[in-house]
Amino acid sequence: MTDSKYFTTTKKGEIFELKAELNSDKKEKKKEAVKKVIASMTVGKDVSALFPDVVNCMQTDNLELKKLVYLYLMNYAKSQPDMAIMAVNTFVKDCEDPNPLIRALAVRTMGCIRVDKITEYLCEPLRKCLKDEDPYVRKTAAVCVAKLHDINAQLVEDQGFLDTLKDLISDSNPMVVANAVAALSEIAESHPSSNLLDLNPQSINKLLTALNECTEWGQIFILDCLANYMPKDDREAQSICERVTPRLSHANSAVVLSAVKVLMKFMEMLSKDLDYYGTLLKKLAPPLVTLLSAEPELQYVALRNINLIVQKRPEILKHEMKVFFVKYNDPIYVKLEKLDIMIRLASQANIAQVLAELKEYATEVDVDFVRKAVRAIGRCAIKVEQSAERCVSTLLDLIQTKVNYVVQEAIVVIKDIFRKYPNKYESVIATLCENLDSLDEPEARAAMIWIVGEYAERIDNADELLESFLEGFHDESTQVQLQLLTAIVKLFLKKPTETQELVQQVLSLATQDSDNPDLRDRGYIYWRLLSTDPVAAKEVVLAEKPLISEETDLIEPTLLDELICYIGTLASVYHKPPNAFVEGGRGVVHKSLPPRTASSESTESPETAPAGAPSGDQPDVIPAQGDLLGDLLNLDLGPPVSGPPLAASSVQMGAVDLLGGGLDSLMGDEPEGIGDTNFGAPPAAVTTAAAPARLGAPISSGLSDLFDLTSGVGTLSGSYVAPKAVWLPAMKAKGLEISGTFTRQVGSISMDLQLTNKALQVMTDFAIQFNRNSFGLAPAAPLQVHAPLSPNQTVELSLPLNTVGSVMKMEPLNNLQVAVKNNIDVFYFSTLYPLHVLFVEDGKMDRQMFLATWKDIPNENEAQFQIRDCPLNTETASNKLQSSNIFTVAKRNVEGQDMLYQSLKLTNGIWVLAELRIQPGNPNFTDLELSLKCRAPEVSQHVYQAYETILKN
C-alpha cells in the first residue's frame, strides 16, 4: 500500500488521536503516527502542539523513525525554542551512537536547528564528530560548521572549529576534503576579508589528489576553490592545468564547466609559444561541443558560457563552426544564442558555409529568428571584408522575396554596410528605393531616410522621397523625425536651389510644432548653422563619417575577464557580475584574471591597467573625430558661470581607459545653460535653449585622485615654455588675432593668451570653451578681459586650466579644439598643446617599482627614438628634464655610454618609463637614443616630441 493513506482522514479530533498514538507502547503504531504527523506538516497543517510527544519518540534505535522525528524537529524548533532544548540530550547521546549513520544524522540535524539557545550545547558533540573515525560523520560535521557559522560566527571562531576545518583539508578521505573546502569557501564568501582558504602549493596538491576520487559535487567544490588560487609562476599554473584537464571528460556538465573555468583562468599565465598552450586549446574544444548534445535548457547555459569563451579566446572553437548550425527543432532561445556565436566565429575560412546557412535561416517561419539571421548576414559583411560582396548580393536576393520584415531588416543592415564600405555598393540604392512604401518599422524607415539623405546626389527624386515622409511628420517616432531632419538638411546642402522650401518646412516642424526637446535642439542648431555660416554647416553636416567598428556588441574587456572567473555560475548566464543581481552584495567578491606574466617578480605598477584593459586584438570602439566640430557648435558661449568647486566623483577608472574615449556617460551633470548667444534666424524665444558646456566632474581612479595636481608639490618647477604662436589669424576671426602658448608652474597649467583687435570696432564680452579632448583639459575660470578691447589694442592674459573636463580621444592625441566668443561672433580654432605641461610633480618612481613595471609592460609597447644634434652632457640633460617633471630614477655607465632611467606621470595617471643613452665627451656622437615604455603606447610619440623640445631649448 502507498503512503497516500497518511494524507487522507475523515476522523474528528485528529490532533488528540495522533497524541494517543504517539504515546502508544507499540513501535509500529508509533511509527505510523509520526508518519501521519509529518504528512500533516507537509500539507501545511499546524501540528506544533504535538512537539513534546514527537520528541519523546526520539529515544529509539529505529533509524527510519529517528529520521522522521529529526525532520519534525527541524521544522518546529524555531517556533518552539524552549521545547527544542528538551531534545539536546538525545543529540549528545546520538553523537556517540555506535552506528555512524545515526551519529551523522544527529550532527546534520543539529546544524539545521537555527536556534541560538541551543547552539552552545551543540559545540561539544560537533567537536567530537569533526574528529570521528568514520569519514561519513566527518564530512557531515564539516558542513555543519558552515551552518553553525551562519547562525553564530563568533561562537565558531571562539571554539576553534575553523582550525579543525582547515586540518580536514589534509584528510585521507576525498569526500571529507571536498566538504571541508565547500564549508570554508562558504564561510570565506560571507567574510571576504578573512584569509580562511590560505592556499599554498602543498594544500593545492592535496586538493588535486582528492579531485580524482570524490563525487561530482565534491569535484565542483574543489575546482571552484582552485579557480580562486593564484599560482606563483607559469610552471605551477601548467602543472595544475595538466591535473585538472581529465575533468573535462566528466559526464556531469557542471564539473566540465568548473574545469573549463580553472583552465581559462590559468591559461592567462601560460606563454602562447608553449607547446602545451596549443595542446590545451585543442583539449578545450571537444567537451564544450559535447555540452551541446544535452537537453535544450542545458544547451542554453552551455551556449551562454561558450559566448564568453569565444569572446576571450576565439581560437578554441574556430574549427567547430558546424556544431553551432541551428537544428529545425531547437527552441528559439537556443537558436538565437547559436546565431550569435556563429557570427563571432565567422572568418574568411568559413564564411561561405556561414552565409549559406544564414540564407537558409532567413526563409524560416519564426519571425524573430529570421530578423536575427538577416542582421547576422550584415554583421558578417562588416566583420569579414572579403565576404561583403556576397553578403550584399544575398541581402538583395532576400529583398526580392518582398517579405515585409525581411526587407526591413535587410535595409537596416545595408545602411551599416554603406557606413563600413563607402562608395562601394551604392549601386543597390535603386533597389532599396523601390521598397520605400512597404516600410512601417521606425528603424527601417530611419535607415532608408539616412540612405536617401547621405546619397541624395545620386538619387534623382531624393526631394520627392523625403517629402513623402514629411507628410506624416508628427506621427513618426522620434528616431525617424531626427533622421528626417538631418537628411533634409544634407539634401539642402547638396541641392540648395531646389530644396529651400523643403528645408524651411522641416525646420519649422521641428522647432515650432514639436514638443520633443532633442528634436527642437537639433532643429535650432541646424537653423543657426545655415543662417550664419553655410560653409561651417557643410563641414559639420557633411563631415566624413568614421567607419563603424566590426563588433560593437562585445562585452567590455574588464567585465569579460570578471565573467570568465564566474563560468558555470548564474553570472555567466546573465552576462552580468554577481553584484548586479545579488541583493545586498553579501559574499560577492570582485574577481579578475591573473596578470599575463611569466615571472613572479613583477609587481603591479601604479598604472597597471585593469585586468581587462583593452588588448591589441579588441576592436576599437573609440568615437572618431568626425563628430567633434558638431560638439563645439553645440555650445552656446556666454561668460562661464563661476560656481562652487566641482566635487570629485568616485568613478573607478583604469588609467588607460582615460585615453579610450567614450567617457561622457561617466561625467557628472553639466551646469545649467551658459549664456544665450543668438546665432541668427530662429525665433527669439529659443535663445536660452542652448546646450551647456560639458564640465564633467573629476574622475578618480582609486590610486588617489589622478587629477589632483597640487599633491606633492613643494618646489617651483620651471618647466620649458614655448614661444607664443598665432593660433587664430585676424583674417579668419573678423579682426581678432589670438596668439598663445601653454605653461606649467607649481602644478598648475595655464594658457597664456595674447588678444589683438585688428578690426575697426570695439570688442567686448569675451568667453572661451574647449571641446572634449584626450586629457580633459578645460578652463578653470572664465576668460576675463577687464576692459573693452579697442581697435589696434593688444591685451595679454593667463587662463588657468584644469584636467577635469570631458575626455575623448583625439587625433592627434594633443589636439585641442577651442571656441572663443565676443560681441561680434563665435570663432573656432584648434591647436596642439605640448605634452610636457601634463607631466605631474609626483612622477618619480622608486627603483624597485621602476624595474618591476619595465618588466611588466609588454615589449611590443616599447618605442625607440633618436634625438639628433643634441650635444649635452648627462648632468645638463638630467637637470633640464627634471625642471619639466621628467625624473631620473637611476643612472649607470655602460661601455662609455651614460644610461639615464627616467619616469614621468601624466595628469590622468599614465606612467611613462624611459631609457636615455648619452655619449658624453665624444664630439662625433651628438645624437641621443631614447627608449620609451608605456601601457598606452599612443602616448610615446608625443612624449618623444616633449623630450626633443625640452632638450634642444
Side-chain angles (χ1 to χ4, degrees):
M1 190 171 176
T2 64
D3 287 347
S4 59
K5 61 180 180 175
Y6 302 116
F7 291 87
T8 54
T9 177
T10 53
K11 295 173 188 170
K12 288 176 185 171
E14 197 173 354
I15 297 283
F16 183 75
E17 286 176 17
L18 285 173
K19 204 179 184 82
E21 286 177 30
L22 287 170
N23 293 319
S24 162
D25 297 335
K26 294 180 182 170
K27 278 187 179 177
E28 274 312 304
K29 208 163 189 185
K30 245 184 194 178
K31 192 154 85 175
E32 292 294 295
V34 173
K35 283 187 177 181
K36 284 180 187 172
V37 171
I38 298 292
S40 301
M41 182 178 89
T42 310
V43 296
K45 287 182 184 169
D46 181 15
V47 283
S48 56
L50 298 168
F51 200 93
D53 306 283
V54 176
V55 171
N56 284 338
C57 298
M58 277 174 80
Q59 316 291 344
T60 173
D61 302 333
N62 185 315
L63 188 61
E64 190 185 1
L65 183 54
K66 219 176 237 315
K67 277 184 180 176
L68 291 166
V69 174
Y70 278 174
L71 195 62
Y72 177 88
L73 206 59
M74 282 184 231
N75 202 39
Y76 283 117
K78 205 154 193 157
S79 58
Q80 309 260 356
D82 298 333
M83 301 287 256
I85 292 181
M86 290 162 47
V88 168
N89 282 337
T90 318
F91 279 136
V92 176
K93 216 164 92 186
D94 280 356
C95 284
E96 291 172 4
D97 195 279
N99 182 345
L101 288 175
I102 288 183
R103 296 204 296 276
L105 183 65
V107 81
R108 177 182 293 133
T109 312
M110 276 158 42
C112 294
I113 295 178
R114 304 177 63 82
V115 177
D116 278 336
K117 284 185 182 176
I118 297 181
T119 44
E120 54 209 63
Y121 296 110
L122 307 181
C123 295
E124 230 19 74
L126 180 57
R127 184 174 286 107
K128 285 179 185 162
C129 288
L130 281 167
K131 296 195 163 65
D132 198 283
E133 61 197 24
D134 192 284
Y136 182 73
V137 181
R138 292 201 300 277
K139 88 175 182 69
T140 312
V143 177
C144 185
V145 173
K147 289 178 176 171
L148 194 58
H149 187 274
D150 198 35
I151 304 166
N152 189 339
Q154 197 55 48
L155 181 73
V156 171
E157 285 163 32
D158 297 346
Q159 293 284 342
F161 288 146
L162 294 179
D163 296 327
T164 318
L165 259 191
K166 287 180 190 172
D167 296 342
L168 287 183
I169 289 185
S170 312
D171 199 279
S172 56
N173 184 288
M175 264 325 292
V176 178
V177 175
N179 277 19
V181 166
L184 282 170
S185 302
E186 182 78 20
I187 294 169
E189 275 191 359
S190 57
H191 291 70
S193 53
S194 63
N195 192 13
L196 286 177
L197 272 166
D198 186 15
L199 298 172
N200 52 44
Q202 291 71 36
S203 56
I204 288 292
N205 197 23
K206 287 169 188 162
L207 292 184
L208 288 165
T209 310
L211 187 62
N212 300 322
E213 298 166 45
C214 30
T215 65
E216 49 201 23
W217 291 111
Q219 291 182 27
I220 292 167
F221 291 136
I222 290 177
L223 287 168
D224 285 350
C225 177
L226 286 173
N228 294 329
Y229 175 62
M230 186 67 76
K232 63 178 189 297
D233 55 25
D234 53 345
R235 285 179 59 185
E236 191 186 354
Q238 180 174 338
S239 145
I240 294 174
C241 288
E242 283 167 356
R243 295 178 69 178
V244 166
T245 311
R247 298 300 107 216
L248 291 172
S249 50
H250 200 283
N252 184 321
S253 50
V255 175
V256 174
L257 281 176
S258 293
V260 168
K261 169 167 64 184
V262 175
L263 297 174
M264 284 292 290
K265 198 167 176 185
F266 290 172
M267 274 170 86
E268 284 293 303
M269 299 186 71
L270 302 180
S271 158
K272 290 192 174 183
D273 310 332
L274 281 177
D275 292 343
Y276 179 68
Y277 182 86
T279 316
L280 196 52
L281 284 180
K282 288 194 187 104
K283 283 184 178 170
L284 274 168
L288 293 172
V289 170
T290 309
L291 291 176
L292 297 182
S293 51
E295 311 77 278
E297 293 79 8
L298 281 179
Q299 272 188 57
Y300 178 72
V301 172
L303 286 165
R304 292 293 282 174
N305 280 281
I306 288 170
N307 200 327
L308 295 174
I309 292 165
V310 164
Q311 286 184 54
K312 184 71 187 164
R313 299 197 185 281
E315 61 272 27
I316 293 177
L317 288 160
K318 66 180 177 192
H319 301 304
E320 302 293 345
M321 177 62 89
K322 280 193 170 162
V323 296
F324 298 106
F325 286 174
V326 170
K327 298 189 180 76
Y328 76 95
N329 58 351
D330 280 340
I332 181 69
Y333 54 89
V334 170
K335 284 181 176 175
L336 295 176
E337 210 53 45
K338 280 185 173 178
L339 206 49
D340 210 27
I341 295 170
M342 275 170 69
I343 299 157
R344 297 208 192 288
L345 291 176
S347 64
Q348 206 177 333
N350 56 26
I351 195 73
Q353 267 183 317
V354 174
L355 276 181
E357 276 290 305
L358 292 176
K359 193 170 179 183
E360 201 65 39
Y361 301 161
T363 58
E364 290 264 342
V365 289
D366 191 321
V367 177
D368 284 340
F369 180 51
V370 172
R371 285 175 180 280
K372 188 103 184 221
V374 177
R375 291 242 163 158
I377 296 173
R379 279 173 66 187
C380 288
I382 288 165
K383 189 175 181 195
V384 185
E385 188 167 346
Q386 295 78 358
S387 72
E389 197 141 337
R390 294 176 67 162
C391 293
V392 171
S393 63
T394 307
L395 288 167
L396 287 177
D397 292 348
L398 292 172
I399 288 175
Q400 298 308 340
T401 61
K402 301 288 183 198
V403 177
N404 191 315
Y405 54 86
V406 175
V407 173
Q408 309 214 52
E409 285 297 330
I411 285 175
V412 172
V413 297
I414 286 176
K415 178 202 76 169
D416 288 341
I417 294 173
F418 284 170
R419 282 283 306 273
K420 178 75 175 171
Y421 308 110
N423 306 320
K424 230 175 173 183
Y425 301 109
E426 281 76 5
S427 52
V428 307
I429 291 175
T431 318
L432 303 183
C433 290
E434 290 166 16
N435 294 284
L436 211 58
D437 301 336
S438 62
L439 306 180
D440 52 17
E441 289 166 20
E443 200 176 358
R445 288 171 78 82
M448 192 66 224
I449 291 168
W450 182 87
I451 292 169
V452 174
E454 190 66 17
Y455 300 102
E457 69 278 14
R458 304 179 189 214
I459 304 170
D460 299 335
N461 60 340
D463 49 345
E464 290 169 26
L465 297 176
L466 292 176
E467 201 167 357
S468 67
F469 283 105
L470 207 53
E471 287 158 12
F473 185 78
H474 289 303
D475 303 329
E476 300 283 6
S477 70
T478 308
Q479 184 183 7
V480 178
Q481 290 175 333
L482 287 167
Q483 203 55 265
L484 192 52
L485 173 60
T486 303
I488 291 176
V489 172
K490 284 180 186 171
L491 176 66
F492 171 68
L493 290 169
K494 291 176 182 179
K495 303 180 178 178
T497 47
E498 303 143 49
T499 53
Q500 204 148 0
E501 279 180 29
L502 193 61
V503 81
Q504 290 280 347
Q505 192 184 347
V506 78
L507 285 173
S508 83
L509 280 169
T511 54
Q512 288 162 6
D513 306 349
S514 168
D515 53 5
N516 180 323
D518 291 344
L519 186 63
R520 274 208 320 266
D521 285 359
R522 191 182 290 192
Y524 287 134
I525 284 171
Y526 284 150
W527 199 326
R528 287 177 176 185
L529 263 177
L530 294 171
S531 58
T532 53
D533 192 350
V535 180
K538 208 161 194 168
E539 282 174 17
V540 175
V541 181
L542 302 180
E544 196 172 318
K545 290 170 190 53
L547 297 183
I548 57 177
S549 64
E550 286 175 18
E551 296 195 57
T552 48
D553 61 337
L554 290 170
I555 292 175
E556 194 267 322
T558 348
L559 174 58
L560 179 62
D561 284 354
E562 187 177 351
L563 291 177
I564 292 288
C565 302
Y566 287 110
I567 283 178
T569 66
L570 207 51
S572 67
V573 179
Y574 284 160
H575 287 188
K576 288 178 183 174
N579 54 1
F581 58 86
V582 175
E583 274 190 24
R586 173 186 168 277
V588 172
V589 189
H590 176 77
K591 298 184 183 181
S592 62
L593 293 180
R596 225 176 209 303
T597 52
S599 71
S600 55
E601 320 286 289
S602 72
T603 337
E604 289 226 351
S605 74
E607 46 65 270
T608 298
S615 56
D617 50 13
Q618 295 290 357
D620 258 355
V621 197
I622 291 169
Q625 217 182 324
D627 325 322
L628 291 183
L629 196 52
D631 286 338
L632 275 179
L633 291 162
N634 246 346
L635 308 174
D636 230 307
L637 293 155
V641 180
S642 53
L646 294 162
S649 82
S650 59
V651 182
Q652 294 293 322
M653 283 296 301
V656 181
D657 284 350
L658 293 180
L659 286 172
L663 290 187
D664 294 354
S665 56
L666 293 176
M667 296 302 172
D669 296 334
E670 301 100 345
E672 289 306 310
I674 301 178
D676 59 349
T677 314
N678 188 344
F679 278 73
V686 301
T687 50
T688 51
R694 296 187 73 87
L695 297 170
I699 304 165
S700 142
S701 85
L703 301 169
S704 79
D705 190 351
L706 294 178
F707 289 117
D708 179 9
L709 297 171
T710 51
S711 60
V713 179
T715 58
L716 180 81
S717 72
S719 175
Y720 166 72
V721 180
K724 287 194 176 84
V726 175
W727 287 341
L728 182 67
M731 285 176 64
K732 289 191 177 175
K734 299 183 182 174
L736 173 65
E737 181 177 280
I738 299 179
S739 310
T741 184
F742 293 88
T743 63
R744 180 182 187 92
Q745 278 192 322
V746 203
S748 302
I749 308 169
S750 306
M751 182 192 249
D752 291 350
L753 295 168
Q754 180 176 304
L755 309 182
T756 305
N757 181 355
K758 295 192 175 177
L760 299 173
Q761 58 179 330
V762 175
M763 295 182 180
T764 56
D765 303 337
F766 284 91
I768 192 164
Q769 194 77 55
F770 293 178
N771 197 4
R772 292 182 290 172
N773 53 77
S774 306
F775 292 88
L777 276 177
L783 179 62
Q784 291 179 331
V785 181
H786 293 296
L789 193 59
S790 309
N792 295 321
Q793 188 187 349
T794 297
V795 63
E796 296 204 352
L797 35 107
S798 183
L799 177 70
L801 306 182
N802 59 30
T803 48
V804 296
S806 294
V807 176
M808 179 178 194
K809 188 173 179 182
M810 300 293 283
E811 196 54 58
L813 208 59
N814 57 340
N815 188 8
L816 180 65
Q817 296 182 333
V818 183
V820 171
K821 178 216 128 193
N822 63 15
N823 59 327
I824 299 172
D825 207 342
V826 179
F827 308 108
Y828 303 98
F829 64 89
S830 65
T831 179
L832 302 176
Y833 47 90
L835 212 62
H836 67 262
V837 300
L838 302 174
F839 298 171
V840 296
E841 282 66 20
D842 59 346
K844 185 163 185 176
M845 213 181 243
D846 70 64
R847 292 184 177 208
Q848 266 12 69
M849 183 64 81
F850 183 94
L851 190 64
T853 309
W854 186 278
K855 284 184 187 174
D856 204 30
I857 297 175
N859 287 336
E860 55 266 26
N861 284 21
E862 186 170 349
Q864 310 274 354
F865 303 98
Q866 270 201 329
I867 302 171
R868 298 196 175 280
D869 303 325
C870 193
L872 293 176
N873 65 25
T874 312
E875 192 70 20
T876 313
S878 181
N879 290 341
K880 274 192 169 200
L881 293 167
Q882 179 141 352
S883 68
S884 289
N885 294 337
I886 300 174
F887 299 96
T888 302
V889 175
K891 179 176 125 182
R892 63 182 181 140
N893 187 288
V894 181
E895 296 172 3
Q897 278 193 335
D898 280 348
M899 318 272 265
L900 293 181
Y901 296 95
Q902 299 178 313
S903 70
L904 63 97
K905 183 172 151 194
L906 294 166
T907 49
N908 61 1
I910 290 181
W911 287 88
V912 182
L913 309 187
E915 177 189 84
L916 184 66
R917 295 173 183 226
I918 302 175
Q919 296 215 356
N922 188 339
N924 299 327
F925 290 98
T926 56
D927 294 354
L928 312 185
E929 289 179 25
L930 178 66
S931 298
L932 296 174
K933 257 192 166 187
C934 177
R935 287 188 194 282
E938 56 266 54
V939 174
S940 299
Q941 175 67 33
H942 302 281
V943 173
Y944 153 67
Q945 287 165 2
Y947 260 86
E948 191 169 43
T949 308
I950 295 163
L951 291 171
K952 286 190 173 181
N953 291 290

